[in-house]
Amino acid sequence: MISFKAAYQKVLDHRQDYGKEDVPIKAAMGRVLAEDIRADRNFPPFNRATKDGIAIDYTAITAGRTTFKIEGLLPAGTAPRLLADTSHCVEIMTGAVVPANADTVIMYEHLLIGDGRASLSRIPIRGQEIHLEGSDKKRGDLVLPRDIKITAAEIGILATVGKALVPVKKLPKTAVVSTGNELVEITENPLPYQIRRSNIHTLYGALSEEGIVPNEFHLADNKEAMREKLPPILRDHNTVLLSGGISKGKYDFVPEILEELGVTKIFHQVSQQPGKPFWFGIQKETGTIVFSFPGNPVSSFVNYLVYFKDWLKSSMALPIPKIHVILAEDISHMGDLTLFLRVKITNH
């Protein structure tokens, strides 16, 4: 039997790199960015008005002018233009290009408009209400580093720099495999000696949260059936998550069959509760990583959360967050097994 600390480290030591792929931006949510993303232009790409109002050349104010003839209107999305006369102004909308020979924008709230003229109700500050070209990012600047999980915020940035196809890390092609003669489909009415398959659906749901849509299989507690069905599963998947068949019972054939099929055992049985029978190995010929969990639903799910989820984060080069908590009450524990407890975390 191996300690939890040693088992956990051995699992992380077998992290994998499955390369990268390009996916449409709408399919990139939750994936891990595989490359640094850089600005394809200055941001903002021009001197941009940040308020609705007028654009002026401030030298007109220093010369004593407080009323400006309005030359025209500049809405967002129109080509840039110059002031025909720098003693005049142009009405400008938020997001529009500020004329190259103007350097200040004055919002409507600080103006009196009438008879084609704009008069100041207060003196502005030179350069106000203009978002200067390149003040956020220059062309070629890093906007998103690789090895981050893509959220809605990153999607917006990717769209801004024109990444319709996003380079992301490939996820492992994964199989979830239940074992046991007592298991029936969830749509069936179990006989008194049967139970519905639940672990495979728990694992399917958990993997879906990581962006993995696994293939599902079921194996009877039969050596010949396992010898026949497991080889293509191992061959066609990067990771295989089995549930059941790894304890000490006379029908727990999984460890024996896996080793027959060339899957090297890294460890079997961990000094922990729940999930002690956990079996972990790798088929070196194909590189397939095998997580074989106990059939008990709690044990299976705990091992998934503790081992597989962190292994996946490590394989994707994502940080593995850990928090320290203080127990609200004492826990009595006999023996030397690492104990995984269900808790509720509260902030004080």
Side-chain angles (χ1 to χ4, degrees), residues 41 45-49 55 71 73-84 90-93 95-102 133:
R41 63 200 299 213
F46 48 80
N47 288 346
R48 171 184 175 275
E71 288 186 356
L73 176 65
L74 271 179
T78 56
R81 56 165 286 183
L82 294 173
L83 289 171
V90 63
E91 287 189 82
I92 193 166
M93 302 297 105
V97 181
V98 177
N101 56 350
E133 178 180 350

Short mmCIF file of all heavy atoms in Angstrom, two decimals, residues 41 45-49 55 71 73-84 90-93 95-102 133:
data_model
loop_
_atom_site.label_atom_id
_atom_site.label_comp_id
_atom_site.label_asym_id
_atom_site.label_seq_id
_atom_site.Cartn_x
_atom_site.Cartn_y
_atom_site.Cartn_z
N ARG A 41 -2.83 45.44 -33.51
CA ARG A 41 -2.80 46.87 -33.84
C ARG A 41 -2.70 47.63 -32.54
O ARG A 41 -2.75 47.02 -31.46
CB ARG A 41 -4.07 47.26 -34.62
CG ARG A 41 -5.34 47.07 -33.81
CD ARG A 41 -6.61 46.98 -34.62
NE ARG A 41 -6.89 48.17 -35.42
CZ ARG A 41 -8.11 48.60 -35.68
NH1 ARG A 41 -9.18 47.95 -35.19
NH2 ARG A 41 -8.30 49.65 -36.44
N PRO A 45 -6.97 52.05 -31.56
CA PRO A 45 -6.23 52.21 -32.81
C PRO A 45 -6.20 53.66 -33.32
O PRO A 45 -5.61 53.93 -34.37
CB PRO A 45 -7.00 51.31 -33.78
CG PRO A 45 -8.37 51.24 -33.24
CD PRO A 45 -8.24 51.34 -31.75
N PHE A 46 -6.82 54.56 -32.59
CA PHE A 46 -6.83 55.99 -32.96
C PHE A 46 -7.17 56.79 -31.71
O PHE A 46 -7.57 56.23 -30.69
CB PHE A 46 -7.86 56.27 -34.07
CG PHE A 46 -9.22 55.65 -33.81
CD1 PHE A 46 -10.14 56.26 -32.94
CD2 PHE A 46 -9.59 54.44 -34.40
CE1 PHE A 46 -11.37 55.70 -32.68
CE2 PHE A 46 -10.83 53.86 -34.14
CZ PHE A 46 -11.72 54.49 -33.29
N ASN A 47 -6.96 58.10 -31.78
CA ASN A 47 -7.39 58.96 -30.69
C ASN A 47 -8.92 58.95 -30.67
O ASN A 47 -9.57 59.43 -31.61
CB ASN A 47 -6.87 60.39 -30.88
CG ASN A 47 -5.38 60.48 -30.64
OD1 ASN A 47 -4.77 59.57 -30.10
ND2 ASN A 47 -4.77 61.59 -31.05
N ARG A 48 -9.49 58.47 -29.59
CA ARG A 48 -10.91 58.15 -29.55
C ARG A 48 -11.63 59.06 -28.56
O ARG A 48 -11.17 59.23 -27.42
CB ARG A 48 -11.05 56.68 -29.13
CG ARG A 48 -12.43 56.18 -28.81
CD ARG A 48 -12.35 54.73 -28.32
NE ARG A 48 -13.65 54.26 -27.89
CZ ARG A 48 -14.14 54.45 -26.67
NH1 ARG A 48 -13.44 55.10 -25.76
NH2 ARG A 48 -15.34 53.98 -26.36
N ALA A 49 -12.74 59.63 -28.99
CA ALA A 49 -13.55 60.45 -28.08
C ALA A 49 -14.22 59.56 -27.05
O ALA A 49 -14.77 58.51 -27.37
CB ALA A 49 -14.59 61.22 -28.87
N ALA A 55 -15.19 68.53 -30.51
CA ALA A 55 -13.73 68.44 -30.55
C ALA A 55 -13.18 69.78 -30.99
O ALA A 55 -13.67 70.39 -31.95
CB ALA A 55 -13.29 67.33 -31.50
N GLU A 71 -18.61 72.90 -37.48
CA GLU A 71 -18.35 72.57 -38.89
C GLU A 71 -19.14 71.35 -39.36
O GLU A 71 -19.38 71.20 -40.55
CB GLU A 71 -16.86 72.30 -39.11
CG GLU A 71 -15.99 73.51 -39.04
CD GLU A 71 -14.55 73.19 -39.41
OE1 GLU A 71 -14.23 72.00 -39.64
OE2 GLU A 71 -13.75 74.14 -39.46
N LEU A 73 -20.56 67.00 -38.08
CA LEU A 73 -20.82 65.96 -37.09
C LEU A 73 -19.97 64.73 -37.40
O LEU A 73 -19.89 64.29 -38.56
CB LEU A 73 -22.31 65.57 -37.10
CG LEU A 73 -22.74 64.42 -36.19
CD1 LEU A 73 -22.55 64.79 -34.73
CD2 LEU A 73 -24.20 64.05 -36.48
N LEU A 74 -19.33 64.19 -36.37
CA LEU A 74 -18.51 62.99 -36.52
C LEU A 74 -19.07 61.86 -35.65
O LEU A 74 -18.80 61.80 -34.45
CB LEU A 74 -17.07 63.27 -36.07
CG LEU A 74 -16.09 63.80 -37.11
CD1 LEU A 74 -14.74 64.04 -36.45
CD2 LEU A 74 -15.92 62.82 -38.25
N PRO A 75 -19.88 60.95 -36.22
CA PRO A 75 -20.33 59.78 -35.44
C PRO A 75 -19.24 58.70 -35.42
O PRO A 75 -18.32 58.72 -36.23
CB PRO A 75 -21.56 59.31 -36.21
CG PRO A 75 -21.34 59.77 -37.61
CD PRO A 75 -20.51 61.02 -37.53
N ALA A 76 -19.37 57.78 -34.48
CA ALA A 76 -18.44 56.64 -34.44
C ALA A 76 -18.59 55.83 -35.72
O ALA A 76 -19.67 55.70 -36.28
CB ALA A 76 -18.75 55.76 -33.23
N GLY A 77 -17.46 55.32 -36.18
CA GLY A 77 -17.48 54.47 -37.36
C GLY A 77 -17.30 55.22 -38.67
O GLY A 77 -17.39 54.61 -39.74
N THR A 78 -17.04 56.53 -38.62
CA THR A 78 -16.80 57.30 -39.85
C THR A 78 -15.31 57.56 -39.99
O THR A 78 -14.55 57.57 -39.02
CB THR A 78 -17.56 58.63 -39.84
OG1 THR A 78 -17.19 59.38 -38.68
CG2 THR A 78 -19.06 58.40 -39.84
N ALA A 79 -14.89 57.79 -41.24
CA ALA A 79 -13.47 58.03 -41.52
C ALA A 79 -13.01 59.32 -40.84
O ALA A 79 -13.80 60.25 -40.64
CB ALA A 79 -13.25 58.11 -43.02
N PRO A 80 -11.74 59.40 -40.48
CA PRO A 80 -11.24 60.61 -39.82
C PRO A 80 -11.27 61.82 -40.75
O PRO A 80 -11.22 61.68 -41.97
CB PRO A 80 -9.79 60.23 -39.45
CG PRO A 80 -9.43 59.10 -40.35
CD PRO A 80 -10.70 58.36 -40.61
N ARG A 81 -11.36 63.00 -40.15
CA ARG A 81 -11.36 64.24 -40.90
C ARG A 81 -10.62 65.30 -40.09
O ARG A 81 -10.37 65.13 -38.90
CB ARG A 81 -12.78 64.71 -41.21
CG ARG A 81 -13.67 64.88 -40.00
CD ARG A 81 -14.92 65.66 -40.29
NE ARG A 81 -14.62 67.09 -40.45
CZ ARG A 81 -15.55 68.03 -40.65
NH1 ARG A 81 -16.82 67.67 -40.75
NH2 ARG A 81 -15.22 69.28 -40.77
N LEU A 82 -10.28 66.38 -40.74
CA LEU A 82 -9.62 67.49 -40.08
C LEU A 82 -10.61 68.62 -39.86
O LEU A 82 -11.62 68.73 -40.56
CB LEU A 82 -8.46 68.02 -40.93
CG LEU A 82 -7.27 67.08 -41.14
CD1 LEU A 82 -6.29 67.70 -42.13
CD2 LEU A 82 -6.57 66.77 -39.82
N LEU A 83 -10.30 69.48 -38.88
CA LEU A 83 -11.02 70.74 -38.76
C LEU A 83 -10.59 71.64 -39.92
O LEU A 83 -9.39 71.84 -40.17
CB LEU A 83 -10.67 71.44 -37.44
CG LEU A 83 -11.22 70.83 -36.14
CD1 LEU A 83 -10.58 71.53 -34.95
CD2 LEU A 83 -12.73 70.94 -36.09
N ALA A 84 -11.54 72.15 -40.65
CA ALA A 84 -11.20 73.05 -41.76
C ALA A 84 -10.60 74.34 -41.23
O ALA A 84 -9.74 74.96 -41.87
CB ALA A 84 -12.45 73.34 -42.60
N VAL A 90 -16.04 70.59 -34.20
CA VAL A 90 -16.88 69.60 -34.85
C VAL A 90 -17.60 68.82 -33.75
O VAL A 90 -16.99 68.51 -32.70
CB VAL A 90 -16.07 68.67 -35.76
CG1 VAL A 90 -15.05 67.86 -34.96
CG2 VAL A 90 -16.98 67.70 -36.53
N GLU A 91 -18.88 68.58 -33.93
CA GLU A 91 -19.57 67.72 -32.97
C GLU A 91 -19.05 66.29 -33.15
O GLU A 91 -18.85 65.82 -34.26
CB GLU A 91 -21.09 67.78 -33.21
CG GLU A 91 -21.72 69.08 -32.76
CD GLU A 91 -23.23 69.02 -32.80
OE1 GLU A 91 -23.83 68.49 -31.83
OE2 GLU A 91 -23.81 69.49 -33.81
N ILE A 92 -18.84 65.62 -32.05
CA ILE A 92 -18.23 64.29 -32.10
C ILE A 92 -18.95 63.37 -31.11
O ILE A 92 -19.38 63.80 -30.03
CB ILE A 92 -16.72 64.37 -31.78
CG1 ILE A 92 -16.01 63.05 -32.13
CG2 ILE A 92 -16.46 64.76 -30.32
CD1 ILE A 92 -14.49 63.19 -32.17
N MET A 93 -19.14 62.13 -31.51
CA MET A 93 -19.81 61.15 -30.68
C MET A 93 -18.80 60.20 -30.04
O MET A 93 -17.69 60.01 -30.54
CB MET A 93 -20.81 60.33 -31.51
CG MET A 93 -21.89 61.17 -32.20
SD MET A 93 -22.98 62.06 -31.06
CE MET A 93 -22.36 63.74 -31.21
N GLY A 95 -16.56 57.30 -29.18
CA GLY A 95 -15.99 56.26 -30.01
C GLY A 95 -15.51 56.74 -31.37
O GLY A 95 -14.86 55.98 -32.10
N ALA A 96 -15.79 58.00 -31.72
CA ALA A 96 -15.37 58.52 -33.02
C ALA A 96 -13.90 58.93 -33.00
O ALA A 96 -13.31 59.17 -31.93
CB ALA A 96 -16.24 59.70 -33.42
N VAL A 97 -13.30 59.02 -34.21
CA VAL A 97 -11.91 59.44 -34.34
C VAL A 97 -11.82 60.95 -34.14
O VAL A 97 -12.50 61.73 -34.82
CB VAL A 97 -11.35 59.07 -35.73
CG1 VAL A 97 -9.88 59.49 -35.84
CG2 VAL A 97 -11.51 57.59 -36.01
N VAL A 98 -10.98 61.35 -33.21
CA VAL A 98 -10.77 62.79 -32.98
C VAL A 98 -9.94 63.35 -34.13
O VAL A 98 -8.92 62.76 -34.51
CB VAL A 98 -10.04 63.03 -31.64
CG1 VAL A 98 -9.76 64.52 -31.43
CG2 VAL A 98 -10.87 62.47 -30.48
N PRO A 99 -10.34 64.47 -34.74
CA PRO A 99 -9.54 65.06 -35.83
C PRO A 99 -8.09 65.26 -35.40
O PRO A 99 -7.80 65.61 -34.26
CB PRO A 99 -10.24 66.40 -36.09
CG PRO A 99 -11.65 66.17 -35.66
CD PRO A 99 -11.57 65.25 -34.48
N ALA A 100 -7.19 65.05 -36.36
CA ALA A 100 -5.76 65.12 -36.05
C ALA A 100 -5.34 66.51 -35.58
O ALA A 100 -4.35 66.64 -34.84
CB ALA A 100 -4.94 64.71 -37.27
N ASN A 101 -6.07 67.56 -36.02
CA ASN A 101 -5.70 68.91 -35.59
C ASN A 101 -6.61 69.41 -34.46
O ASN A 101 -6.74 70.61 -34.25
CB ASN A 101 -5.71 69.88 -36.76
CG ASN A 101 -7.04 69.93 -37.50
OD1 ASN A 101 -7.93 69.11 -37.25
ND2 ASN A 101 -7.19 70.90 -38.41
N ALA A 102 -7.22 68.45 -33.72
CA ALA A 102 -7.96 68.76 -32.49
C ALA A 102 -7.32 67.98 -31.36
O ALA A 102 -6.75 66.90 -31.57
CB ALA A 102 -9.43 68.39 -32.63
N GLU A 133 -4.41 57.01 -28.84
CA GLU A 133 -4.01 55.83 -29.61
C GLU A 133 -2.85 55.12 -28.92
O GLU A 133 -1.87 55.73 -28.53
CB GLU A 133 -3.59 56.24 -31.02
CG GLU A 133 -3.11 55.06 -31.86
CD GLU A 133 -2.67 55.44 -33.26
OE1 GLU A 133 -2.92 56.60 -33.67
OE2 GLU A 133 -2.09 54.59 -33.95
#
